[in-house]
Amino acid sequence: MKKLIITILSVIILIFCMVQLKVSASADAQDQALVKEMRQEGYQAVNEAVATFEKENNLNVKLPEEPIKANINLGKASSKDITIKWFNTESSPPISATLTIRKGIKNQFLNKNNAELVKLNNGAVGFYKKDKYHTITFTSAGLNYQYSTKATSSMSKEEVINLVNHFK
């Protein structure tokens, strides 16, 4: 009887481990597919995208700390802007954050009439708006910064503002 119970428990544990491996392999395949698709759209490692943008525009970009615990982070640069995307596909539900940086003095992102004025720790004025995204935008050193994350995420307005306050 004791051997039967041990055998049954061993089979259950083995089945559980196999299911976990299959789920993990499936998630890895989905992550790889996402990265492959983004690379086809011109995304690359964040440090490479930043270096390209800085070189093309002869300027330095301030980057924030990673806004979410991301297992995927990629950037895409052009002469006009740089977009950095962070994904945590391991959370449930998956979450993402996007930072777009554009050169220019005038804040180009939000209609200020539809946004809430917020004061940031560095003294800069930002504009916060929530529609289908939490979006906060501000200007620093001649660059426009726009953070956004889906409003369906668990982040609050205060957490989004706090992200911006953690720029290097």
Side-chain angles (χ1 to χ4, degrees):
M1 183 70 168
K2 192 174 186 181
K3 282 186 176 184
L4 179 62
I5 292 173
I6 291 173
T7 303
I8 291 172
L9 287 174
S10 296
V11 169
I12 291 172
I13 291 170
L14 181 62
I15 291 171
F16 178 77
C17 289
M18 289 172 51
V19 168
Q20 291 293 45
L21 286 173
K22 185 175 181 178
V23 168
S24 177
S26 173
D28 287 344
Q30 290 174 346
D31 288 355
Q32 290 172 5
L34 173 63
V35 170
K36 182 179 179 182
E37 180 181 329
M38 291 184 70
R39 289 200 184 275
Q40 289 172 346
E41 293 175 8
Y43 282 86
Q44 59 194 43
V46 171
N47 61 339
E48 292 171 5
V50 169
T52 299
F53 183 73
E54 288 179 333
K55 184 177 178 183
E56 286 188 20
N57 293 287
N58 194 29
L59 50 80
N60 291 318
V61 173
K62 289 193 296 185
L63 287 180
E65 295 174 5
E66 202 170 80
I68 60 174
K69 183 182 175 192
N71 59 318
I72 298 173
N73 50 1
L74 296 168
K76 181 178 180 178
S78 72
S79 60
K80 296 179 185 176
D81 61 25
I82 180 171
T83 300
I84 300 171
K85 294 191 176 199
W86 294 273
F87 297 91
N88 182 341
T89 60
E90 297 167 350
S91 72
S92 183
I95 57 173
S96 65
T98 302
L99 173 64
T100 302
I101 304 169
R102 292 187 178 141
K103 60 182 185 173
I105 297 170
K106 188 175 180 185
N107 191 312
Q108 304 170 17
F109 291 111
L110 292 176
N111 175 347
K112 295 176 187 172
N113 295 330
N114 295 329
E116 180 182 341
L117 191 70
V118 292
K119 184 112 175 177
L120 305 176
N121 287 350
N122 65 1
V125 174
F127 299 93
Y128 171 82
K129 182 176 181 180
K130 180 180 177 186
D131 46 27
K132 64 181 185 176
Y133 295 93
H134 288 284
T135 304
I136 188 163
T137 181
F138 64 98
T139 301
S140 177
L143 294 172
N144 294 306
Y145 291 80
Q146 176 182 301
Y147 248 124
S148 61
T149 187
K150 286 192 175 179
T152 55
S153 77
S154 61
M155 296 180 82
S156 68
K157 169 187 155 188
E158 289 74 23
E159 289 171 312
V160 174
I161 293 170
N162 193 38
L163 290 177
V164 175
N165 284 325
H166 283 89
F167 270 75
K168 296 177 186 173

